[in-house]
Every structure is written in structure tokens, then in C-alpha cells.
Amino acid sequence: MKRMNLRDMYPFLKTDVWVDLDEEVAQEIRRFDLHESAYKLRTYRHRAYYSLDRNDGIEHDALFFSISPEEYYEHKITKQQLYAAMCELPEKSFRRIYAHFFLGMSKVSIAEAEQVDERAVRKSIERGLKQMERILKNM
């Protein structure tokens, strides 16, 4: 049995309150205190004083990202221009660029699906992107 003062654990107590604890319980309390003090020391050393629970809006901004109306309009116009440029491409290039960039397919899987060589898919995508670049510059 080990004697422990509860006043050390509970700072709101004004007087000493001594209790007898088993060795295992005392060791767990000691281990918790060591982990807590190590955490405080790491926080101090790395200047990590911020928390998402501070209610200063960091958590809300991180979870609920909202864009301004101007940014929304810019994104919309950019997408429209991109789609317009893609529609002017040849059908093969359009299909391959869409599969690679929008559907996330690899060039190898596109080649396997179309039963062509991977180099042909790669060159078709490169040519299509160059054509799109010229089209977008002229818009």
C-alpha cells in the first residue's frame, strides 16, 4: 500500500486528504503524470499552443471550406473554357484525356481498354494537351 495526497491530484482541495492505494494503481497514476508532463514539455518546446478546440474558427474553416462568389464564378468560367476547348479536340484525344485526367485511369489501362499500344495513348494525350493549350490561348 502506498499513501497518496489527493490534494496533489485535485488542486481545488484546500486541505490534505490522504488515501491508501495499491501499488498498481499508484504506478498507473505516476505513469499518467509522467506522460502528461512529457506532453506539456513537447508542447512548450515545439510552440504547439494552438488547438482546434479553441473556438476561434480554425476548426470551422478547416472543415467547412467556403469560397467567395468571385472565386466560384472564376472556377465556373474556367471549367466552361476547359470543356469548350476539349470539345474542339479530335474524338480520340478527347476520350483519352477525359479517361486519364477526369476518370483517373492510367495510360496503360487506357491502352489495354482500347487495345492499342501505350505509346500511342501517351502521344495522343500529349498532342491533345498541346492543342488545348493553343485553343485556350486564343480564347
Side-chain angles (χ1 to χ4, degrees):
M1 290 296 216
K2 186 171 181 180
R3 287 183 60 86
M4 182 175 247
N5 189 356
L6 290 181
R7 187 173 168 201
D8 296 336
M9 292 174 55
Y10 303 107
F12 60 85
L13 293 176
K14 302 296 181 205
T15 60
D16 291 335
V17 179
W18 293 93
V19 291
D20 292 326
L21 298 174
D22 290 335
E23 288 294 325
E24 294 174 11
V25 175
Q27 286 177 350
E28 284 298 312
I29 291 172
R30 176 75 179 137
R31 190 174 63 80
F32 176 77
D33 287 341
L34 289 174
H35 282 292
E36 183 70 20
S37 62
Y39 173 75
K40 287 180 181 178
L41 184 61
R42 279 195 314 272
T43 303
Y44 174 75
R45 283 185 180 161
H46 298 290
R47 294 179 180 89
Y49 300 116
Y50 53 86
S51 171
L52 294 179
D53 298 329
R54 285 182 42 186
N55 293 328
D56 60 354
I58 293 175
E59 182 178 21
H60 185 271
D61 290 344
L63 293 176
F64 305 108
F65 178 72
S66 62
I67 60 174
S68 69
E70 293 86 13
E71 290 173 323
Y72 178 76
Y73 183 72
E74 283 180 20
H75 287 290
K76 185 176 178 182
I77 295 296
T78 304
K79 282 183 182 179
Q80 287 175 351
Q81 290 175 341
L82 181 66
Y83 293 142
M86 284 184 69
C87 288
E88 292 184 28
L89 294 177
E91 196 267 329
K92 268 188 193 177
S93 294
F94 173 83
R95 186 178 60 241
R96 290 173 178 173
I97 288 174
Y98 183 79
H100 183 64
F101 290 104
F102 290 88
L103 300 179
M105 294 175 65
S106 68
K107 294 172 185 172
V108 173
S109 61
I110 295 170
E112 289 173 358
E114 294 183 0
Q115 298 177 349
V116 295
D117 189 34
E118 187 265 337
R119 288 179 296 192
V121 171
R122 188 171 4 103
K123 288 185 179 186
S124 174
I125 289 175
E126 288 174 7
R127 280 193 306 269
L129 291 176
K130 286 180 183 176
Q131 285 178 344
M132 281 182 60
E133 182 181 6
R134 281 193 300 264
I135 292 168
L136 290 172
K137 282 183 180 179
N138 293 334
M139 285 187 162

